Amino acid sequence: MLQLQNSLVALLRTKPFSQVTYKEITEGVDIDRSTVYRYYNHKNQVLQAAVDVRLTAFSSQVDLTFGRMESIDGYMGRLVDGWIGLWLESGALLAAASGMGAEPGPQRTWWRERIAPWIEAVREAIEVARFVEELPKDGRPAGPLAEMTVGMCLSTFNNELTVQHDSEHRTMVRDLLLDAILRTMGRR
């Protein structure tokens, strides 16, 4: 299974997911075709498995909890930095998954389940930051604000971090994104 996932990742370095065929993915591995079909019968399943592996590893490395001694600025900066690291490592794969998640159907449900912990963590952070008066209590529900925040990050990462940029450009994108997030939350 890992060979298939790695084959897909290698293919995504050269072309978009929509142009990758299941046959190309399976040609890149040294596994009997009947064994391949036992695990995956569509390229979307290979993509989903590869994303699940990366997101599981990511969630063990990045603490999504808003710390008591942390400001909302520091928390969101820490999350954005973690997400940027994830995208720099697996951007094409994650861009393909989030693109799949934009389509109606089971792929959307699957993608929403994967980003739900991020949205919930940001929602909780917003509520805590409002309670300690770091953010204004402006009556906007924290849930949709958290969804908008995560959506803004995903969109920015897909547009900016899936193509090669120098570190200065990435820093500028990070700073602009963080500023936009905090302004959306009412911070600045």
Side-chain angles (χ1 to χ4, degrees):
M1 291 188 299
L2 187 57
Q3 286 181 27
L4 289 170
Q5 294 171 23
N6 290 337
S7 174
L8 174 59
V9 170
L11 287 165
L12 288 174
R13 289 187 188 114
T14 61
K15 60 170 116 179
F17 182 69
S18 61
Q19 294 177 6
V20 172
T21 66
Y22 187 67
K23 183 178 179 186
E24 289 173 311
I25 297 169
T26 61
E27 287 173 347
V29 299
D30 187 29
I31 302 172
D32 180 69
R33 198 167 272 259
S34 64
T35 303
V36 169
Y37 284 112
R38 191 175 324 142
Y39 292 102
Y40 307 114
N41 57 17
H42 195 275
K43 71 178 187 176
N44 290 359
Q45 292 174 325
V46 179
L47 174 69
Q48 289 172 338
V51 167
D52 283 344
V53 165
R54 280 147 183 88
L55 291 181
T56 299
F58 174 73
S59 53
S60 71
Q61 297 168 355
V62 175
D63 183 7
L64 293 176
T65 307
F66 183 48
R68 292 178 186 246
M69 303 304 291
E70 200 169 27
S71 69
I72 192 69
D73 299 43
Y75 173 74
M76 288 310 305
R78 184 170 59 79
L79 284 189
V80 166
D81 290 342
W83 292 337
I84 286 172
L86 177 65
W87 245 260
L88 290 174
E89 175 188 304
S90 303
L93 193 66
L94 295 164
S98 65
M100 229 176 51
E103 299 297 321
Q107 288 88 2
R108 178 181 286 168
T109 302
W110 170 82
W111 181 243
R112 296 285 302 167
E113 288 170 355
R114 297 315 175 273
I115 63 170
W118 302 353
I119 293 169
E120 180 58 19
V122 172
R123 185 198 61 75
E124 286 178 8
I126 290 168
E127 288 181 354
V128 170
R130 284 177 173 169
F131 180 76
V132 299
E133 298 180 351
E134 268 196 75
L135 291 175
K137 296 176 184 173
D138 56 11
R140 296 181 296 166
L145 190 55
E147 284 190 45
M148 182 186 300
T149 298
V150 172
M152 191 181 336
C153 289
L154 294 175
S155 174
T156 301
F157 300 153
N158 285 340
N159 291 331
E160 292 292 330
L161 299 180
T162 54
V163 294
Q164 194 66 23
H165 289 297
D166 60 28
S167 62
E168 186 176 311
H169 181 83
R170 283 193 305 271
T171 300
M172 179 194 67
V173 167
R174 182 246 187 228
D175 292 346
L176 289 171
L177 175 61
L178 186 55
D179 186 57
I181 289 168
L182 293 171
R183 285 178 187 270
T184 299
M185 290 179 176
R187 178 72 169 125
R188 294 185 177 177

